[in-house]
Amino acid sequence: AVYEVEPFDIALLNDDDRELFYQRIKLLLHTLPGKVQVIVRKETALPGDYQKHFFSLYNNALKNREEFISNYITDLTSLLATERFLVMKYYAVFSTSLASTKEHSLVQASKRLFDMGSRLSSSLAPSQISTRQLEKEELVAFCKAQLR
């Protein structure tokens, strides 16, 4: 199971939140019942990477600032489309052993992976850091990128 950590660029957090993030990660690594690999990758920033940021600007915005926010979003989107900016993305990769090829073993292994993902999410949630499990094509693309 592969989980993307959001916000992906932890460096953008303030000092206290970043320190709290690293403390929670250390605690998490010592309490997980299985293996986890943390992968940090530099990737080219895309406008889609900032969708949550864009929506958060409108959440508490005053009506008279909506045009300013709209211009900011337009400018940042065009800048990301024309220039190459890198962002740090964090991924947690969980693995577990599969005792046999029987269906019961597969179900148990899936439950263990789900449990580890839930522990990761609940450990990071107090710091307003969320996780998102990669699935289907996104998971395949991630695995292909790792094998290159």
Side-chain angles (χ1 to χ4, degrees), residues 47 51 54 72-82:
Q51 289 303 316
F54 294 155
Y72 164 74
I73 291 172
T74 302
D75 290 345
L76 184 58
T77 301
S78 66
L79 184 65
L80 290 170
T82 58

Side-chain angles (χ1 to χ4, degrees), residues 61-106:
L62 300 173
K63 278 284 192 202
N64 61 350
R65 294 190 180 154
E66 287 185 3
E67 184 179 346
F68 175 73
I69 293 170
S70 177
N71 291 338
Y72 164 74
I73 291 172
T74 302
D75 290 345
L76 184 58
T77 301
S78 66
L79 184 65
L80 290 170
T82 58
E83 300 295 327
R84 186 169 183 256
F85 292 97
L86 297 176
V87 292
M88 298 295 287
K89 290 193 177 182
Y90 292 76
Y91 299 92
V93 181
F94 295 100
S95 65
T96 188
S97 61
L98 188 57
S100 71
T101 58
K102 294 182 181 176
E103 184 177 342
H104 176 73
S105 296
L106 181 62

Side-chain angles (χ1 to χ4, degrees), residues 4-10 12 41-57 72-73 76-77 80-81 83-91 130 132 134 138:
E4 182 179 57
V5 178
E6 296 176 349
F8 25 80
D9 202 344
I10 305 303
L12 296 178
R41 293 178 38 188
K42 283 185 183 178
E43 295 182 6
T44 302
L46 301 172
D49 293 334
Y50 292 92
Q51 289 303 316
K52 283 186 180 181
H53 168 64
F54 294 155
F55 287 122
S56 72
L57 296 174
Y72 164 74
I73 291 172
L76 184 58
T77 301
L80 290 170
E83 300 295 327
R84 186 169 183 256
F85 292 97
L86 297 176
V87 292
M88 298 295 287
K89 290 193 177 182
Y90 292 76
Y91 299 92
S130 62
R132 184 179 63 83
L134 301 185
E138 212 174 18

Side-chain angles (χ1 to χ4, degrees), residues 13-26:
L13 296 173
N14 67 42
D15 290 340
D16 293 338
D17 287 343
R18 187 175 40 244
E19 185 61 33
L20 185 60
F21 169 78
Y22 286 122
Q23 287 174 2
R24 291 188 187 281
I25 287 288
K26 288 175 192 174

